[in-house]
Amino acid sequence: MDFVGDLVLSSAVAMRGLDRTVPDATGTPSTAREQYRDAWAAAPPGAHPFEAEFAAEETWHGRGWFDDKLAIFLDGLATRLAPTAPETTETSETPETRGTPGPPEENA
């Protein structure tokens, strides 16, 4: 829950930060969102490995990449919590000896 709470707060802060007005290289005020988008648009095609993701409109509005980040976290949590196959151990137990007491140190 702590991780999800931190993700919610940091995503909200980041998305709000895109609306802050900052001067660009020429001193003209524009939002951080506009400056990021302009920088990506000025780059030659194929210059960035995540070009399509940064060009997508949902990246810059609403929850941004929150849903993708949450899905990655939940997938990892599911993997960690997945039941594992029981370990098979060699035993000399037979139906006749099952449940009989062993040496005293095993019964402690």
Side-chain angles (χ1 to χ4, degrees):
M1 292 305 295
D2 182 59
F3 178 88
V4 174
D6 287 348
L7 181 60
V8 167
L9 292 174
S10 64
S11 294
V13 168
M15 295 308 289
R16 285 190 186 131
L18 291 174
D19 292 323
R20 74 182 190 281
T21 302
V22 292
D24 64 11
T26 64
T28 306
S30 61
T31 66
R33 177 182 287 116
E34 292 168 332
Q35 289 186 25
Y36 281 123
R37 292 177 89 180
D38 291 346
W40 279 94
H48 302 288
F50 301 105
E51 198 169 307
E53 289 82 1
F54 278 98
E57 191 62 29
E58 61 271 9
T59 299
W60 302 102
H61 298 286
R63 294 161 32 146
W65 286 338
F66 174 82
D67 294 333
D68 293 332
K69 291 176 182 179
L70 183 60
I72 290 168
F73 168 72
L74 293 175
D75 289 347
L77 185 61
T79 300
R80 180 173 281 190
L81 297 178
T84 57
E87 292 184 28
T88 57
T89 57
E90 294 296 321
T91 179
S92 59
E93 196 172 50
T94 63
E96 295 79 30
T97 61
R98 190 171 293 131
T100 58
E105 59 273 359
E106 289 183 11
N107 292 328

XYZ file of all heavy atoms in Angstrom:
816
model
N 0.828 -1.186 0.000
C 0.000 0.000 0.000
C 0.871 1.247 0.000
O 0.506 2.239 -0.623
C -0.939 -0.018 1.210
C -2.007 -1.103 1.146
S -3.013 -1.073 -0.349
C -3.843 0.468 -0.194
N 1.994 1.193 0.704
C 2.891 2.344 0.760
C 3.410 2.684 -0.635
O 3.442 3.853 -1.029
C 4.049 2.052 1.724
C 4.979 3.233 1.854
O 4.508 4.314 2.263
O 6.169 3.081 1.538
N 3.800 1.665 -1.378
C 4.305 1.888 -2.733
C 3.239 2.535 -3.608
O 3.509 3.498 -4.327
C 4.765 0.566 -3.358
C 5.251 0.723 -4.776
C 6.574 1.030 -5.033
C 4.379 0.585 -5.841
C 7.020 1.186 -6.337
C 4.817 0.747 -7.149
C 6.142 1.047 -7.388
N 2.028 2.021 -3.568
C 0.948 2.565 -4.392
C 0.646 4.000 -3.982
O 0.451 4.871 -4.831
C -0.312 1.670 -4.313
C -1.482 2.306 -5.047
C -0.014 0.287 -4.875
N 0.633 4.275 -2.690
C 0.422 5.644 -2.213
C 1.498 6.589 -2.716
O 1.206 7.701 -3.182
N 2.747 6.157 -2.642
C 3.853 6.984 -3.155
C 3.726 7.191 -4.656
O 3.986 8.287 -5.162
C 5.206 6.335 -2.850
C 5.583 6.429 -1.384
O 4.923 7.180 -0.637
O 6.545 5.738 -0.989
N 3.321 6.157 -5.371
C 3.148 6.263 -6.817
C 2.051 7.268 -7.150
O 2.198 8.088 -8.056
C 2.836 4.893 -7.420
C 2.640 4.834 -8.926
C 3.898 5.295 -9.653
C 2.283 3.414 -9.350
N 0.956 7.223 -6.424
C -0.152 8.166 -6.653
C 0.324 9.597 -6.426
O 0.107 10.478 -7.265
C -1.352 7.839 -5.730
C -2.365 8.967 -5.723
C -2.004 6.529 -6.149
N 0.980 9.826 -5.300
C 1.427 11.185 -4.980
C 2.479 11.687 -5.960
O 2.395 12.819 -6.443
C 1.967 11.242 -3.553
C 0.925 11.055 -2.461
C 1.589 10.972 -1.095
C -0.103 12.172 -2.491
N 3.472 10.873 -6.266
C 4.527 11.332 -7.165
C 3.994 11.549 -8.581
O 4.404 12.500 -9.263
C 5.706 10.356 -7.175
O 5.320 9.108 -7.689
N 3.053 10.725 -9.022
C 2.460 10.921 -10.345
C 1.654 12.214 -10.390
O 1.731 12.969 -11.364
C 1.559 9.741 -10.725
O 2.321 8.572 -10.881
N 0.900 12.485 -9.340
C 0.104 13.712 -9.301
C 1.005 14.946 -9.304
O 0.749 15.913 -10.031
C -0.797 13.714 -8.063
N 2.070 14.910 -8.524
C 3.003 16.035 -8.481
C 3.671 16.227 -9.842
O 3.784 17.356 -10.337
C 4.054 15.835 -7.367
C 5.193 16.828 -7.477
C 3.389 15.936 -6.001
N 4.098 15.145 -10.462
C 4.765 15.231 -11.765
C 3.827 15.789 -12.832
O 4.232 16.650 -13.632
C 5.287 13.867 -12.180
N 2.590 15.321 -12.858
C 1.656 15.797 -13.872
C 1.304 17.264 -13.647
O 1.185 18.029 -14.599
C 0.403 14.917 -13.908
C 0.672 13.485 -14.348
S 1.586 13.322 -15.902
C 0.354 13.840 -17.065
N 1.164 17.682 -12.402
C 0.908 19.101 -12.123
C 2.112 19.955 -12.486
O 1.972 21.082 -12.935
C 0.549 19.300 -10.659
C -0.840 18.855 -10.337
C -1.263 19.272 -8.950
N -2.547 18.684 -8.668
C -2.825 18.027 -7.560
N -1.923 17.898 -6.621
N -4.016 17.509 -7.382
N 3.300 19.408 -12.293
C 4.518 20.137 -12.617
C 4.639 20.453 -14.100
O 5.306 21.411 -14.489
N 3.990 19.653 -14.940
C 4.032 19.915 -16.374
C 3.313 21.213 -16.741
O 3.556 21.783 -17.800
C 3.410 18.750 -17.147
C 4.195 17.445 -17.135
C 3.390 16.338 -17.815
C 5.542 17.619 -17.811
N 2.442 21.686 -15.864
C 1.687 22.906 -16.138
C 2.368 24.173 -15.618
O 1.875 25.270 -15.849
C 0.282 22.800 -15.542
C -0.557 21.762 -16.269
O -0.422 21.647 -17.492
O -1.337 21.063 -15.602
N 3.473 24.033 -14.939
C 4.142 25.231 -14.437
C 4.766 25.995 -15.610
O 5.211 25.399 -16.581
C 5.178 24.890 -13.372
C 6.430 24.269 -13.882
C 7.392 23.904 -12.731
N 8.685 23.514 -13.230
C 8.990 22.329 -13.734
N 8.068 21.392 -13.810
N 10.206 22.071 -14.171
N 4.749 27.297 -15.512
C 5.287 28.131 -16.577
C 6.747 28.425 -16.292
O 7.105 28.850 -15.187
C 4.494 29.443 -16.682
O 3.124 29.121 -16.928
C 5.005 30.306 -17.807
N 7.561 28.173 -17.284
C 9.005 28.424 -17.175
C 9.480 29.076 -18.473
O 8.905 28.836 -19.538
C 9.787 27.124 -16.910
C 9.476 26.561 -15.536
C 9.480 26.079 -17.969
N 10.494 29.906 -18.417
C 10.991 30.500 -19.657
C 11.756 29.473 -20.494
O 12.477 28.645 -19.952
C 11.908 31.619 -19.175
C 12.283 31.248 -17.788
C 11.179 30.415 -17.239
N 11.577 29.526 -21.802
C 12.330 28.629 -22.674
C 13.697 29.237 -22.974
O 14.081 30.240 -22.370
C 11.549 28.295 -23.947
C 11.302 29.509 -24.832
O 11.901 30.581 -24.589
O 10.503 29.384 -25.772
N 14.435 28.669 -23.887
C 15.795 29.137 -24.195
C 15.822 30.586 -24.673
O 16.808 31.293 -24.473
C 16.432 28.228 -25.233
N 14.727 31.039 -25.280
C 14.680 32.417 -25.774
C 14.121 33.374 -24.736
O 14.045 34.569 -24.981
C 13.811 32.504 -27.048
O 12.462 32.168 -26.713
C 14.336 31.593 -28.137
N 13.690 32.852 -23.590
C 13.110 33.683 -22.539
C 11.601 33.788 -22.623
O 10.970 34.413 -21.785
N 11.003 33.150 -23.624
C 9.552 33.164 -23.778
C 8.937 32.176 -22.791
O 9.342 31.012 -22.747
C 9.168 32.753 -25.217
O 9.855 33.590 -26.130
C 7.664 32.847 -25.421
N 7.961 32.639 -22.003
C 7.348 31.707 -21.055
C 6.459 30.675 -21.753
O 5.716 30.992 -22.676
C 6.525 32.603 -20.137
C 6.352 33.886 -20.855
C 7.431 33.983 -21.889
N 6.585 29.448 -21.330
C 5.724 28.361 -21.798
C 5.687 27.311 -20.699
O 6.494 27.346 -19.766
C 6.229 27.772 -23.120
O 7.521 27.230 -22.957
N 4.774 26.365 -20.820
C 4.682 25.336 -19.786
C 5.780 24.294 -19.998
O 6.296 24.132 -21.104
C 3.312 24.628 -19.797
O 3.172 23.898 -21.000
C 2.167 25.622 -19.620
N 6.098 23.610 -18.943
C 7.084 22.535 -19.035
C 6.606 21.485 -20.031
O 7.397 20.936 -20.796
C 7.312 21.903 -17.660
N 5.299 21.207 -20.062
C 4.714 20.244 -21.005
C 5.025 20.670 -22.442
O 5.460 19.859 -23.263
C 3.208 20.146 -20.797
C 2.510 19.220 -21.775
C 0.997 19.170 -21.578
N 0.696 18.423 -20.374
C 0.106 18.935 -19.305
N -0.257 20.199 -19.280
N -0.139 18.194 -18.253
N 4.816 21.952 -22.754
C 5.089 22.451 -24.104
C 6.567 22.332 -24.454
O 6.921 21.947 -25.573
C 4.638 23.903 -24.227
C 3.137 24.074 -24.164
C 2.708 25.520 -23.993
O 3.471 26.328 -23.411
O 1.605 25.846 -24.445
N 7.424 22.631 -23.494
C 8.860 22.561 -23.765
C 9.314 21.116 -24.006
O 10.117 20.855 -24.904
C 9.648 23.196 -22.631
C 9.486 24.708 -22.607
C 10.364 25.371 -21.576
O 11.404 24.839 -21.188
N 9.948 26.534 -21.126
N 8.809 20.199 -23.204
C 9.149 18.785 -23.422
C 8.678 18.328 -24.803
O 9.414 17.695 -25.551
C 8.514 17.891 -22.358
C 9.231 17.875 -21.034
C 8.569 18.212 -19.863
C 10.566 17.494 -20.942
C 9.209 18.184 -18.644
C 11.216 17.468 -19.722
C 10.533 17.806 -18.575
O 11.176 17.777 -17.366
N 7.430 18.641 -25.138
C 6.877 18.206 -26.423
C 7.630 18.833 -27.590
O 7.887 18.180 -28.595
C 5.398 18.521 -26.476
C 4.620 17.655 -25.473
C 3.189 17.995 -25.463
N 2.556 17.165 -26.481
C 1.267 17.216 -26.750
N 0.490 18.035 -26.126
N 0.762 16.418 -27.662
N 7.988 20.112 -27.466
C 8.751 20.775 -28.531
C 10.116 20.119 -28.720
O 10.581 19.934 -29.843
C 8.919 22.269 -28.231
C 7.602 23.033 -28.328
O 6.624 22.484 -28.873
O 7.563 24.183 -27.841
N 10.754 19.778 -27.600
C 12.076 19.148 -27.683
C 11.984 17.785 -28.373
O 12.826 17.434 -29.198
C 12.684 19.007 -26.293
N 10.962 17.010 -28.045
C 10.792 15.704 -28.680
C 10.455 15.860 -30.149
O 10.918 15.102 -30.994
C 9.708 14.894 -27.960
C 10.239 14.252 -26.726
C 10.194 14.753 -25.469
C 10.937 13.020 -26.640
N 10.816 13.886 -24.606
C 11.278 12.814 -25.293
C 11.296 12.047 -27.564
C 11.960 11.696 -24.845
C 11.977 10.926 -27.118
C 12.303 10.765 -25.776
N 9.641 16.880 -30.481
C 9.249 17.086 -31.880
C 10.436 17.546 -32.730
O 10.502 17.251 -33.924
C 8.122 18.108 -31.951
N 11.381 18.256 -32.124
C 12.537 18.771 -32.861
C 13.573 17.684 -33.161
O 14.396 17.847 -34.061
C 13.189 19.903 -32.071
N 13.534 16.609 -32.416
C 14.513 15.530 -32.619
C 14.208 14.785 -33.917
O 13.040 14.636 -34.298
C 14.481 14.566 -31.442
N 15.240 14.309 -34.608
C 14.992 13.546 -35.840
C 14.277 12.225 -35.522
O 14.462 11.661 -34.448
C 16.390 13.294 -36.399
C 17.328 13.509 -35.268
C 16.658 14.443 -34.307
N 13.451 11.741 -36.458
C 12.739 10.468 -36.229
C 13.720 9.339 -35.902
O 14.767 9.219 -36.527
C 12.030 10.212 -37.557
C 11.927 11.557 -38.198
C 13.131 12.327 -37.750
N 13.354 8.561 -34.905
C 14.189 7.433 -34.500
C 15.312 7.798 -33.560
O 16.112 6.946 -33.186
N 15.385 9.056 -33.141
C 16.478 9.495 -32.270
C 16.310 8.983 -30.838
O 17.290 8.871 -30.105
C 16.570 11.019 -32.253
N 15.091 8.666 -30.441
C 14.822 8.227 -29.076
C 14.157 6.862 -29.083
O 13.243 6.613 -29.877
C 13.916 9.234 -28.361
C 14.488 10.617 -28.316
N 15.559 10.949 -27.519
C 14.161 11.747 -28.981
C 15.847 12.220 -27.687
N 15.017 12.731 -28.575
N 14.564 5.971 -28.194
C 13.990 4.614 -28.192
C 12.513 4.569 -27.797
O 11.810 3.655 -28.174
C 14.852 3.860 -27.192
C 15.490 4.895 -26.354
C 15.610 6.125 -27.204
N 12.032 5.565 -27.048
C 10.638 5.558 -26.585
C 9.833 6.662 -27.255
O 8.939 7.248 -26.664
C 10.588 5.693 -25.056
C 11.316 4.600 -24.364
C 12.549 4.833 -23.778
C 10.792 3.325 -24.312
C 13.240 3.813 -23.148
C 11.481 2.297 -23.680
C 12.703 2.544 -23.098
N 10.135 6.914 -28.492
C 9.524 8.002 -29.248
C 7.997 7.928 -29.258
O 7.317 8.921 -29.018
C 10.061 7.943 -30.667
C 9.904 9.180 -31.465
C 10.719 9.084 -32.754
O 11.919 8.796 -32.693
O 10.111 9.292 -33.803
N 7.435 6.769 -29.538
C 5.981 6.620 -29.621
C 5.316 6.902 -28.287
O 4.264 7.538 -28.230
C 5.625 5.216 -30.102
N 5.924 6.445 -27.198
C 5.348 6.669 -25.876
C 5.339 8.155 -25.523
O 4.392 8.661 -24.936
C 6.104 5.877 -24.807
C 5.873 4.386 -24.882
C 6.738 3.686 -25.917
O 7.551 4.358 -26.596
O 6.594 2.472 -26.080
N 6.396 8.866 -25.869
C 6.463 10.286 -25.548
C 5.577 11.116 -26.469
O 5.164 12.207 -26.108
C 7.906 10.791 -25.589
C 8.651 10.507 -24.334
C 9.485 9.409 -24.253
C 8.519 11.317 -23.220
C 10.174 9.123 -23.087
C 9.199 11.035 -22.047
C 10.037 9.938 -21.984
N 5.287 10.618 -27.650
C 4.418 11.336 -28.572
C 2.940 11.115 -28.240
O 2.091 11.907 -28.639
C 4.693 10.892 -30.001
N 2.636 10.066 -27.489
C 1.244 9.743 -27.170
C 0.636 10.828 -26.282
O 1.247 11.286 -25.314
C 1.170 8.390 -26.474
N -0.574 11.226 -26.618
C -1.260 12.306 -25.884
C -1.468 11.955 -24.404
O -1.339 12.806 -23.533
C -2.598 12.596 -26.565
C -3.275 13.845 -26.071
C -2.466 15.123 -26.313
O -1.687 15.181 -27.282
O -2.611 16.057 -25.516
N -1.778 10.680 -24.098
C -2.034 10.298 -22.704
C -0.789 10.412 -21.818
O -0.894 10.449 -20.604
C -2.638 8.898 -22.612
C -1.786 7.786 -23.156
C -2.000 7.513 -24.642
O -2.690 8.286 -25.319
O -1.459 6.509 -25.119
N 0.377 10.485 -22.424
C 1.602 10.660 -21.660
C 1.632 12.029 -20.978
O 2.165 12.175 -19.894
C 2.841 10.529 -22.584
O 2.836 9.230 -23.143
C 4.132 10.762 -21.841
N 1.022 13.000 -21.600
C 1.138 14.389 -21.152
C -0.072 14.903 -20.404
O -0.088 16.039 -19.939
C 1.412 15.278 -22.359
C 2.647 14.834 -23.048
C 2.734 14.095 -24.201
C 3.988 15.021 -22.606
N 4.036 13.841 -24.502
C 4.837 14.402 -23.542
C 4.558 15.670 -21.521
C 6.216 14.401 -23.416
C 5.931 15.682 -21.395
C 6.744 15.045 -22.334
N -1.120 14.109 -20.270
C -2.338 14.562 -19.600
C -2.867 13.476 -18.681
O -2.479 12.316 -18.790
C -3.404 14.925 -20.632
C -2.999 16.057 -21.520
N -2.977 17.355 -21.092
C -2.573 16.073 -22.806
C -2.560 18.142 -22.078
N -2.301 17.376 -23.132
N -3.764 13.864 -17.825
C -4.412 12.905 -16.940
C -3.424 12.245 -15.990
O -2.686 12.908 -15.283
N -3.378 10.932 -16.026
C -2.544 10.174 -15.088
C -1.184 9.816 -15.654
O -0.397 9.147 -14.991
C -3.294 8.911 -14.683
C -4.525 9.250 -13.883
C -5.593 8.218 -13.758
N -5.262 6.836 -13.747
C -5.914 5.941 -13.039
N -6.902 6.319 -12.268
N -5.597 4.688 -13.114
N -0.897 10.240 -16.865
C 0.415 9.954 -17.436
C 0.659 8.458 -17.523
O -0.189 7.714 -18.000
N 1.791 8.026 -17.042
C 2.153 6.609 -17.097
C 1.772 5.860 -15.820
O 2.230 4.753 -15.572
C 3.652 6.464 -17.322
C 4.076 6.787 -18.714
C 3.304 6.778 -19.843
C 5.379 7.141 -19.134
N 4.050 7.113 -20.924
C 5.330 7.347 -20.522
C 6.580 7.320 -18.485
C 6.445 7.716 -21.258
C 7.683 7.679 -19.221
C 7.606 7.872 -20.582
N 0.919 6.442 -15.015
C 0.550 5.824 -13.741
C 0.054 4.390 -13.924
O 0.489 3.486 -13.214
C -0.515 6.662 -13.021
C -1.033 6.015 -11.778
C -0.330 6.125 -10.589
C -2.191 5.254 -11.782
C -0.784 5.514 -9.435
C -2.649 4.638 -10.638
C -1.947 4.769 -9.460
N -0.874 4.178 -14.855
C -1.455 2.839 -15.036
C -0.396 1.811 -15.416
O -0.406 0.678 -14.921
C -2.565 2.869 -16.089
C -3.762 3.703 -15.635
O -3.989 3.816 -14.413
O -4.462 4.237 -16.506
N 0.524 2.203 -16.301
C 1.596 1.277 -16.697
C 2.506 0.960 -15.516
O 2.908 -0.190 -15.324
C 2.427 1.866 -17.838
C 1.634 1.986 -19.135
O 0.699 1.179 -19.333
O 1.949 2.878 -19.931
N 2.850 1.962 -14.741
C 3.724 1.747 -13.579
C 3.046 0.855 -12.544
O 3.680 -0.038 -11.973
C 4.108 3.085 -12.945
C 5.022 3.915 -13.803
C 5.285 5.257 -13.151
C 6.159 6.129 -14.010
N 6.382 7.449 -13.379
N 1.768 1.092 -12.307
C 1.033 0.270 -11.344
C 0.946 -1.175 -11.837
O 1.110 -2.111 -11.051
C -0.364 0.845 -11.106
C -1.211 0.118 -10.071
C -0.530 0.115 -8.699
C -2.591 0.752 -9.983
N 0.726 -1.366 -13.129
C 0.651 -2.725 -13.689
C 1.975 -3.457 -13.519
O 1.997 -4.647 -13.167
C 0.249 -2.673 -15.160
N 3.085 -2.769 -13.740
C 4.400 -3.397 -13.562
C 4.593 -3.808 -12.110
O 5.049 -4.913 -11.812
C 5.521 -2.441 -14.020
C 5.482 -2.296 -15.532
C 6.884 -2.926 -13.538
C 6.341 -1.175 -16.075
N 4.227 -2.932 -11.197
C 4.342 -3.251 -9.774
C 3.485 -4.467 -9.418
O 3.952 -5.395 -8.751
C 3.932 -2.049 -8.918
C 3.741 -2.390 -7.473
C 4.837 -2.661 -6.667
C 2.479 -2.461 -6.923
C 4.663 -2.990 -5.328
C 2.296 -2.783 -5.588
C 3.391 -3.052 -4.795
N 2.229 -4.473 -9.861
C 1.337 -5.580 -9.519
C 1.792 -6.893 -10.148
O 1.681 -7.952 -9.527
C -0.101 -5.244 -9.930
C -0.740 -4.096 -9.148
C -2.106 -3.761 -9.720
C -0.823 -4.411 -7.668
N 2.327 -6.836 -11.371
C 2.874 -8.044 -11.993
C 4.037 -8.596 -11.174
O 4.148 -9.803 -10.956
C 3.339 -7.770 -13.422
C 2.188 -7.546 -14.388
O 1.032 -7.830 -14.022
O 2.463 -7.069 -15.510
N 4.902 -7.713 -10.726
C 6.032 -8.140 -9.903
C 5.581 -8.709 -8.572
O 6.104 -9.735 -8.109
N 4.592 -8.076 -7.965
C 4.064 -8.573 -6.694
C 3.423 -9.940 -6.876
O 3.631 -10.849 -6.062
C 3.046 -7.577 -6.127
C 2.483 -7.880 -4.753
C 3.590 -7.903 -3.700
C 1.430 -6.849 -4.381
N 2.689 -10.116 -7.962
C 2.064 -11.422 -8.233
C 3.117 -12.505 -8.418
O 2.950 -13.634 -7.946
C 1.176 -11.331 -9.468
N 4.206 -12.156 -9.080
C 5.280 -13.125 -9.280
C 5.914 -13.509 -7.954
O 6.184 -14.670 -7.691
C 6.354 -12.543 -10.224
O 5.728 -12.256 -11.469
C 7.500 -13.505 -10.425
N 6.127 -12.514 -7.111
C 6.750 -12.779 -5.819
C 5.845 -13.605 -4.917
O 6.310 -14.453 -4.158
C 7.108 -11.472 -5.126
C 7.767 -11.700 -3.772
C 8.253 -10.438 -3.181
N 9.515 -10.093 -3.827
C 10.289 -9.131 -3.396
N 9.956 -8.414 -2.364
N 11.416 -8.869 -4.016
N 4.548 -13.378 -5.000
C 3.613 -14.069 -4.114
C 3.069 -15.366 -4.689
O 2.327 -16.074 -4.019
C 2.439 -13.143 -3.778
C 2.805 -11.872 -3.010
C 1.565 -11.025 -2.797
C 3.465 -12.201 -1.689
N 3.427 -15.693 -5.923
C 2.933 -16.914 -6.556
C 3.363 -18.126 -5.752
O 4.496 -18.198 -5.270
C 3.447 -17.007 -7.990
N 2.452 -19.079 -5.608
C 2.834 -20.290 -4.873
C 3.945 -21.024 -5.625
O 3.948 -21.077 -6.845
C 1.560 -21.116 -4.822
C 0.673 -20.555 -5.871
C 1.109 -19.138 -6.130
N 4.856 -21.547 -4.870
C 5.948 -22.297 -5.475
C 5.689 -23.779 -5.286
O 5.001 -24.196 -4.359
C 7.304 -21.924 -4.842
O 7.223 -22.168 -3.431
C 7.632 -20.471 -5.094
N 6.249 -24.558 -6.166
C 6.099 -26.008 -6.054
C 6.804 -26.472 -4.792
O 7.888 -25.993 -4.471
C 6.691 -26.679 -7.285
N 6.194 -27.397 -4.058
C 6.851 -27.876 -2.838
C 8.153 -28.584 -3.195
O 8.253 -29.255 -4.213
C 5.837 -28.843 -2.219
C 4.882 -29.181 -3.307
C 4.932 -28.058 -4.313
N 9.121 -28.373 -2.338
C 10.416 -29.026 -2.565
C 10.271 -30.512 -2.275
O 9.646 -30.914 -1.305
C 11.475 -28.421 -1.643
C 11.805 -26.996 -1.996
C 12.922 -26.453 -1.129
O 13.763 -27.241 -0.673
O 12.923 -25.246 -0.898
N 10.846 -31.296 -3.130
C 10.818 -32.739 -2.895
C 12.090 -33.111 -2.169
O 13.185 -32.719 -2.558
C 10.713 -33.517 -4.217
O 11.796 -33.148 -5.047
C 9.403 -33.215 -4.920
N 11.925 -33.814 -1.086
C 13.086 -34.257 -0.311
C 13.044 -35.769 -0.225
O 11.974 -36.383 -0.185
C 13.073 -33.655 1.106
O 11.850 -34.023 1.745
C 13.196 -32.140 1.053
N 14.204 -36.320 -0.234
C 14.305 -37.771 -0.079
C 13.996 -38.106 1.369
O 14.473 -37.468 2.294
C 15.717 -38.241 -0.437
C 16.061 -38.054 -1.900
C 15.181 -38.903 -2.817
O 14.887 -40.055 -2.466
O 14.762 -38.375 -3.855
N 13.199 -39.110 1.556
C 12.880 -39.530 2.913
C 12.860 -41.060 2.965
O 12.548 -41.709 1.982
C 11.526 -38.952 3.376
O 11.258 -39.409 4.694
C 10.388 -39.354 2.470
N 13.195 -41.535 4.096
C 13.159 -42.988 4.258
C 11.874 -43.410 4.947
O 11.733 -44.531 5.371
C 14.377 -43.436 5.085
O 14.344 -42.804 6.340
N 10.931 -42.499 5.029
C 9.673 -42.782 5.699
C 8.840 -43.750 4.865
O 8.701 -43.591 3.660
C 8.937 -41.454 5.893
C 7.826 -41.524 6.893
C 7.272 -40.150 7.174
O 6.954 -39.426 6.217
O 7.164 -39.811 8.350
N 8.303 -44.720 5.515
C 7.423 -45.687 4.861
C 6.084 -45.635 5.567
O 5.987 -45.101 6.680
C 8.005 -47.117 4.972
O 8.051 -47.472 6.351
C 9.388 -47.211 4.342
N 5.058 -46.177 4.965
C 3.756 -46.163 5.656
C 3.826 -46.781 7.044
O 3.125 -46.372 7.944
C 2.854 -46.980 4.730
C 3.477 -46.850 3.375
C 4.955 -46.755 3.635
N 4.707 -47.756 7.227
C 4.799 -48.409 8.537
C 5.474 -47.528 9.577
O 5.184 -47.637 10.764
C 5.586 -49.733 8.432
C 4.919 -50.792 7.588
C 5.110 -50.550 6.085
O 6.126 -49.973 5.683
O 4.211 -50.947 5.339
N 6.437 -46.660 9.141
C 7.174 -45.861 10.122
C 6.641 -44.432 10.226
O 7.052 -43.683 11.094
C 8.665 -45.780 9.738
O 8.786 -45.159 8.456
C 9.303 -47.155 9.735
N 5.721 -44.034 9.337
C 5.187 -42.673 9.354
C 4.506 -42.406 10.681
O 3.700 -43.190 11.146
C 4.192 -42.496 8.210
C 3.777 -41.053 8.016
C 2.977 -40.863 6.755
N 3.829 -41.109 5.594
C 3.508 -41.900 4.579
N 2.350 -42.505 4.557
N 4.335 -42.103 3.579
N 4.876 -41.316 11.315
C 4.251 -40.928 12.565
C 4.887 -41.531 13.797
O 4.496 -41.232 14.910
N 5.890 -42.431 13.636
C 6.544 -42.987 14.813
C 7.607 -42.027 15.278
O 8.258 -41.360 14.474
C 7.175 -44.360 14.500
O 8.099 -44.213 13.431
C 6.105 -45.377 14.140
N 7.782 -41.922 16.577
C 8.768 -40.980 17.101
C 10.177 -41.357 16.678
O 10.532 -42.517 16.584
C 8.612 -41.082 18.611
C 7.432 -41.945 18.865
C 7.075 -42.634 17.601
N 10.957 -40.337 16.389
C 12.348 -40.538 16.055
C 13.187 -40.355 17.301
O 12.695 -40.448 18.418
N 14.479 -40.090 17.123
C 15.346 -39.844 18.276
C 14.822 -38.659 19.087
O 14.140 -37.792 18.544
C 16.706 -39.526 17.637
C 16.633 -40.063 16.243
C 15.183 -40.040 15.863
N 15.171 -38.576 20.360
C 14.652 -37.516 21.239
C 14.903 -36.105 20.694
O 14.063 -35.244 20.846
C 15.391 -37.733 22.558
C 15.834 -39.156 22.518
C 16.005 -39.513 21.078
N 16.059 -35.843 20.053
C 16.326 -34.486 19.597
C 15.374 -34.064 18.473
O 15.131 -32.890 18.279
C 17.789 -34.303 19.159
C 18.253 -35.209 18.039
C 18.763 -36.562 18.530
O 18.788 -36.805 19.748
O 19.132 -37.359 17.673
N 14.807 -34.996 17.724
C 13.842 -34.650 16.672
C 12.470 -34.353 17.245
O 11.665 -33.704 16.605
C 13.732 -35.765 15.650
C 14.960 -35.893 14.766
C 14.777 -36.978 13.725
O 13.640 -37.472 13.553
O 15.782 -37.321 13.078
N 12.183 -34.830 18.447
C 10.886 -34.636 19.053
C 10.829 -33.374 19.896
O 9.784 -33.032 20.422
C 10.513 -35.845 19.931
C 10.275 -37.085 19.092
O 9.803 -36.968 17.958
N 10.596 -38.249 19.632
N 11.939 -32.670 20.033
C 11.964 -31.489 20.906
C 11.273 -30.333 20.257
O 11.119 -30.161 19.128
C 13.401 -31.133 21.237
